[in-house]
Amino acid sequence: MTHDLLGRHRAVLPDWLALYYEEPIEITHGEGRHVWDAEGNRYLDFFGGILTTMTAHALPEVTKAVSEQAGRIIHSSTLYLNRPMIELAERIAQLSGIPDARVFFTTSGTEANDTALLLATTYRRSNTILAMRNSYHGRSFSSVGITGNRGWSPTSLSPLQTLYVHGGVRTRGPYAALGDGDFIAACVDDLVDLLGHTRPPAALIAEPIQGVGGFTSPPDGLYAAFREVLHERGILWIADEVQTGWGRTGEHFWGWQAHGQHGPPDIMTFAKGIGNGMSIGGVVARSEIMNCLDSNSISTFGGTQITMAAGLANLTYLLEHDLQGNARRVGGLLIERLRAAAAQVPAVREVRGRGLMIGIEITRPGTDEADPATAAAVLEAARAGGLLIGKGGGHNTSSLRIAPPLSLNVAEAEEGAAILEDALRSIP
């Protein structure tokens, strides 16, 4: 059955539409932190549909909200008043930390980043964008143009002039050997030097923790130091919270808060987890920035009632059950367990992350050379053991990505860590 479905997939879908595993699986249903495939195999899910099933599979509160809203009205577009959209926007504006915030809903993180770029370039009247090396911001024409990860950038054509800045990867690059303070100072000096050679950019866009890049991050405070330089020149700061938002890092509700000494970003984008599987993305910005467009605009599917109902129910559950605190506690246990296991595996260069956003970088033992074949083998071994994880990273995609639903409990964390330990030890 699965083999037949794979043949049909290949017959009608693009060759570049990636599938995991040598024998791809069809996931048919899920509950809590587990999913089942078409063959009846049960898996502990440590990737959540690419960090999108943030709370739990088949969460009753979200399922109920979607069902009840579907029985009333599913969609009307933004041309009409929309109570669920307004209610969710009010809550996100308050949680964002951005003063006098306005919220615009989209259907994805890619579209959210597109909107942020439109706002920033219009507000600043510049099409120059600063972005981080090893970054990823989506798959549209404009977001590919600011992606600093060669594996996810299929074209060099772009409507934007993009300049790439050091700092998103702590343990690679020319400043890797420096201490944290000197690392930040060197990156700031590089930024200042870069700004002296170009026309004034519109904005810096940065993921507080790089998602597709393999869950890499700078020392806390780097973007605060950048912000000081940018603010002096009127350059905006866009925080891409598509993967880091909603408490996933445990220590903070938003990733930018690890760098928030000089206040919140000017623009923040979000998506993925807020809908717990429903298609929600969005942008939060100060009103003067959000309102800078001087032509009409709507969103046909952004903010549609059924997705907003899901988002409201999911956000309520997340806050009432302190899933941020759970990510901090259980994630801390999980990362220490994985570090202990990886210490015995020469191919593991680094275990990094915070909360329930953990990366394991695989290299050829004794070197910094990426080893994507071995990373893929660990992915396969984990699946054979009943665990689903992701992969990513620059340098030829040699990092494993671990991002379970935020309701993960200690017993499940221990179970997943044991499977991963066996998978890592299976490396020849």
Side-chain angles (χ1 to χ4, degrees):
M1 183 186 301
T2 301
H3 186 269
D4 177 60
L5 193 62
L6 176 59
R8 291 164 60 190
H9 172 101
R10 288 173 171 164
V12 296
L13 296 172
D15 291 345
W16 43 259
L17 194 63
L19 287 168
Y20 274 177
Y21 310 118
E22 292 180 8
E23 296 182 7
I25 61 174
E26 176 193 1
I27 294 176
T28 57
H29 62 287
E31 182 178 346
R33 276 70 55 193
H34 290 86
V35 294
W36 285 258
D37 69 17
E39 310 301 321
N41 298 305
R42 177 177 179 263
Y43 303 95
L44 185 58
D45 185 4
F46 270 26
F47 204 38
I50 318 179
L51 291 82
T52 298
T53 306
M54 176 176 68
T55 308
H57 291 280
L59 186 70
E61 289 81 354
V62 172
T63 301
K64 181 173 183 286
V66 169
S67 177
E68 290 180 351
Q69 184 61 54
R72 293 191 292 271
I73 186 169
I74 291 175
H75 167 77
S76 68
S77 87
T78 56
L79 290 172
Y80 307 93
L81 287 172
N82 179 332
R83 188 176 301 273
M85 181 172 69
I86 294 167
E87 290 176 351
L88 185 56
E90 288 171 339
R91 299 192 70 179
I92 293 173
Q94 188 274 325
L95 289 166
S96 73
I98 295 175
D100 193 21
R102 298 291 188 272
V103 182
F104 177 76
F105 289 105
T106 67
T107 61
S108 69
T110 290
E111 191 187 349
N113 285 331
D114 268 346
T115 302
L117 294 170
L118 172 65
L119 292 171
T121 53
T122 301
Y123 184 78
R124 289 275 296 158
R125 301 188 65 80
S126 168
N127 76 331
T128 301
I129 296 292
L130 303 172
M132 305 304 296
R133 298 179 185 187
N134 195 51
S135 59
Y136 176 83
H137 299 287
R139 51 150 300 280
S140 67
F141 188 46
S142 65
S143 59
V144 161
I146 58 166
T147 287
N149 186 317
R150 184 175 62 184
W152 292 90
S153 185
T155 178
S156 61
L157 301 175
S158 176
L160 303 166
Q161 180 186 34
T162 306
L163 305 173
Y164 292 102
V165 181
H166 284 293
V169 183
R170 178 65 184 89
T171 60
R172 286 184 181 271
Y175 309 140
L178 301 176
D180 284 354
D182 289 339
F183 180 94
I184 291 173
C187 292
V188 170
D189 287 345
D190 176 72
L191 173 63
V192 171
D193 181 69
L194 177 64
L195 292 174
H197 295 283
T198 184
R199 295 185 63 82
L204 165 73
I205 185 168
E207 306 154 271
I209 298 176
Q210 295 181 329
V212 170
F215 293 169
T216 61
S217 62
D220 288 355
L222 174 75
Y223 295 121
F226 278 4
R227 178 74 188 280
E228 196 169 353
V229 172
L230 300 174
H231 185 70
E232 290 174 354
R233 296 159 174 77
I235 302 166
L236 303 179
W237 173 27
I238 304 170
D240 179 342
E241 297 274 358
V242 169
Q243 298 198 30
T244 47
W246 319 106
R248 176 165 289 282
T249 68
E251 296 173 24
H252 304 284
F253 194 75
W254 304 109
W256 69 258
Q257 290 170 318
H259 309 269
Q261 294 91 323
H262 297 290
D266 301 290
I267 303 173
M268 183 178 74
T269 62
F270 62 85
K272 288 194 182 290
I274 181 59
N276 203 45
M278 298 294 281
S279 297
I280 304 176
V283 183
V284 190
R286 299 198 319 267
S287 61
E288 64 182 293
I289 298 172
M290 185 68 81
N291 294 332
C292 74
L293 304 183
D294 62 0
S295 62
N296 294 325
S297 191
I298 62 168
S299 182
T300 302
F301 288 109
T304 196
Q305 284 92 335
I306 196 165
T307 61
M308 297 295 97
L312 279 165
N314 192 44
L315 183 58
T316 297
Y317 185 94
L318 175 96
L319 295 172
E320 290 182 350
H321 292 80
D322 187 25
L323 295 193
Q324 176 186 340
N326 190 66
R328 182 178 64 254
R329 293 185 295 271
V330 179
L333 292 171
L334 180 58
I335 196 168
E336 289 307 315
R337 176 78 162 76
L338 293 173
R339 280 177 174 156
Q344 309 303 316
V345 181
V348 176
R349 180 177 183 269
E350 182 182 22
V351 178
R352 56 181 174 247
R354 61 202 327 168
L356 288 172
M357 194 171 186
I358 303 168
I360 301 176
E361 185 173 350
I362 305 295
T363 57
R364 300 190 189 282
T367 77
D368 286 340
E369 185 182 349
D371 191 350
T374 296
V378 176
L379 195 81
E380 293 280 358
R383 189 205 68 140
L387 179 72
L388 304 185
I389 59 174
K391 60 181 179 178
H395 304 280
N396 298 315
T397 311
S398 63
S399 294
L400 306 172
R401 293 201 287 161
I402 299 152
L406 301 189
S407 57
L408 185 77
N409 61 43
V410 172
E412 292 163 340
E414 287 286 352
E415 178 188 354
I419 297 171
L420 259 174
E421 181 174 5
D422 288 343
L424 289 168
R425 288 181 181 276
S426 72
I427 298 172

